[in-house]
Amino acid sequence: MTEPRLADLPLRAELRGQEPYGAPQLPVQTMLNVNETTYDVPADVVDAIAKEVRSAAETLNRYPDREFSGLRHKLAAYLTRESGADLDARQIWAGNGSNEVMQHILQAFAGPGRSVMSFPPTYSMYPLYARGVYSDYIAGTRSKDFTQDPGDVAAQIREHRPHVVILCSPNNPTGTSLGLDVVEAAYEAALESDTMVVVDEAYGEFRQPGTRSALTMLAGRPRLIVTRTMSKAFALAGGRLGYLAAAPAVTDALRLVRLPYHLSAITQAAATAALDHAETLMANVQRIKVQRDRLVAELAAMGLSPYPSDANFVLFGGLQDAHAAWQHLLDDGILIREVAIEGHLRVTAGTEPETTDFLNSLRSYLNG
């Protein structure tokens, strides 16, 4: 019997011919392509996670706390310390990675007959999120240097009147942060229609000194949502914990669409232990920021065009053949990210030795 092909299945029409999202996962020595924290999880944090998970395992015959109450309190306390915003547990929601959090948002506020807007080049999952909830996707525009102007963003929102608008700050793949004047302008425009404003701060902990988080704008703005993740700064990419802060009414709305017991007891335990060791994990964030700034300086010295970054990665242009440069690096055992911007590549800021290996390999390519 012939095994059926994907094309033989009664797939939804809009999924036919599509490719699944995913960066290459290749067996190389230095992986700098998916913006993970490349430092190992510190031993004391590993021990703490193991202890919490073991404790949770003793009651796995029971369903987990569906409201993940303890975790929400710890997330609220962490965000209050990190951003200076005054947040409480009622304002916090979490899911299995920021992907599920964003899916919950769109299930509640987008959906069939509604629209989702973001501003490419930006995180390539946004159109897929929209497709997954049967929403129209609207691609806004940016300036040539990939920045966003408050008036321009507001005008585009007023023109298209999306039901959800996503602002990515720091933006992936450009690394650029938004001024809060852009968020304010977007929010004011959103009030003129049935629009929710989402600020995706997945890389928020890596922002440059003096760059304020949109979390500080939540008070009095019930249509504003700020999303975060523990995948990056907390080195918990394998733990899959994303979260958001918003008005309590927003978290009430998300309860309408979440699946029962969507956060396992194991996930809650691992995230709780990591939050208890936030100070230890943030020390690696500072080390990564040093290498990020080093990348910007040394790429510029090579005659390339790196963009100022508030994230844990750097986008750089000025390459005549970006794929050839990418392949040269791969041949040297270094995997970085090809992006859909001509002449550009994106590299994650890793450890000091990883950064050195990348810079040496790229320099040898440029010197031919």
Side-chain angles (χ1 to χ4, degrees):
M1 181 177 179
T2 303
E3 184 174 341
R5 302 171 303 150
L6 176 61
D8 297 328
L9 300 178
L11 202 62
R12 284 165 42 189
E14 65 270 25
L15 297 181
R16 291 190 177 277
Q18 297 292 326
E19 294 290 334
Y21 171 86
Q25 290 183 311
L26 302 175
V28 297
Q29 180 177 349
T30 305
M31 290 185 62
L32 301 174
N33 67 322
V34 289
N35 302 336
E36 302 158 316
T37 293
T38 64
Y39 287 90
D40 293 337
V41 180
D44 59 335
V45 182
V46 172
D47 291 342
I49 291 174
K51 181 179 179 181
E52 288 287 340
V53 168
R54 180 177 178 81
S55 178
E58 294 174 355
T59 57
L60 285 181
N61 58 308
R62 303 293 186 181
Y63 285 113
D65 175 7
R66 135 177 109 230
E67 293 301 316
F68 44 98
S69 305
L71 177 59
R72 290 169 72 196
H73 277 91
K74 286 185 180 292
L75 286 168
Y78 163 72
L79 287 180
T80 296
R81 293 192 307 271
E82 194 272 341
S83 70
D86 185 14
L87 301 170
D88 64 53
R90 297 174 307 135
Q91 297 176 263
I92 305 299
W93 189 253
N96 293 286
S98 57
N99 305 101
E100 185 177 45
V101 168
M102 198 69 72
Q103 183 183 54
H104 286 168
I105 294 170
L106 297 196
Q107 285 176 322
F109 299 109
R114 293 189 168 209
S115 60
V116 178
M117 183 179 191
S118 68
F119 300 84
T122 191
Y123 186 36
S124 58
M125 276 297 298
Y126 296 149
L128 276 67
Y129 293 147
R131 186 181 71 192
V133 297
Y134 303 92
S135 293
D136 293 330
Y137 174 71
I138 300 167
T141 58
R142 292 173 176 264
S143 302
K144 290 183 178 180
D145 63 355
F146 305 131
T147 57
Q148 291 182 273
D149 173 77
D152 181 55
V153 169
Q156 292 186 60
I157 293 172
R158 289 189 173 99
E159 176 186 358
H160 295 287
R161 301 172 69 86
H163 293 86
V164 177
V165 60
I166 305 173
L167 305 171
C168 190
S169 179
N171 185 50
N172 179 11
T174 65
T176 47
S177 278
L178 292 176
L180 296 190
D181 57 340
V182 178
V183 180
E184 173 67 24
Y187 192 84
E188 291 301 315
L191 291 178
E192 299 175 18
S193 57
D194 294 327
T195 303
M196 296 294 292
V197 177
V198 180
V199 182
D200 183 350
E201 290 190 348
Y203 302 94
E205 286 90 346
F206 298 97
R207 61 190 186 275
Q208 298 281 0
T211 302
R212 293 172 58 210
S213 166
L215 290 165
T216 59
M217 298 181 62
L218 284 174
R221 294 183 174 88
R223 293 198 195 176
L224 179 62
I225 300 171
V226 181
T227 62
R228 288 286 187 98
T229 182
M230 295 186 74
S231 293
K232 313 300 182 183
F234 279 89
L236 209 65
R240 310 307 301 131
L241 197 290
Y243 59 105
L244 64 76
V250 171
T251 61
D252 286 341
L254 302 183
R255 287 185 179 88
L256 301 175
V257 298
R258 60 103 177 264
L259 295 175
Y261 311 107
H262 70 286
L263 270 186
S264 77
I266 300 299
T267 299
Q268 293 182 45
T272 296
L275 284 162
D276 286 340
H277 290 76
E279 186 174 348
T280 298
L281 293 165
M282 291 307 117
N284 280 339
V285 168
Q286 295 306 313
R287 296 184 182 100
I288 291 166
K289 290 168 72 172
V290 168
Q291 297 308 311
R292 183 262 323 271
D293 295 341
R294 176 190 173 197
L295 284 168
V296 172
E298 295 203 27
L299 288 168
M302 292 181 200
L304 298 172
S305 302
Y307 290 81
S309 177
D310 282 273
N312 68 339
F313 58 83
V314 174
L315 176 75
F316 61 99
L319 296 163
Q320 290 188 353
D321 188 337
H323 180 73
W326 178 87
Q327 186 64 57
H328 174 92
L329 289 159
L330 182 60
D331 292 343
D332 280 351
I334 302 164
L335 180 61
I336 68 170
R337 190 65 173 264
E338 291 189 284
V339 293
I341 306 173
E342 186 176 357
H344 289 70
L345 293 171
R346 191 196 71 195
V347 58
T348 303
T351 64
E352 183 176 359
E354 288 172 332
T355 303
T356 297
D357 289 345
F358 160 75
L359 290 168
N360 287 341
S361 177
L362 183 60
R363 193 176 289 111
S364 71
Y365 168 77
L366 294 172
N367 292 337

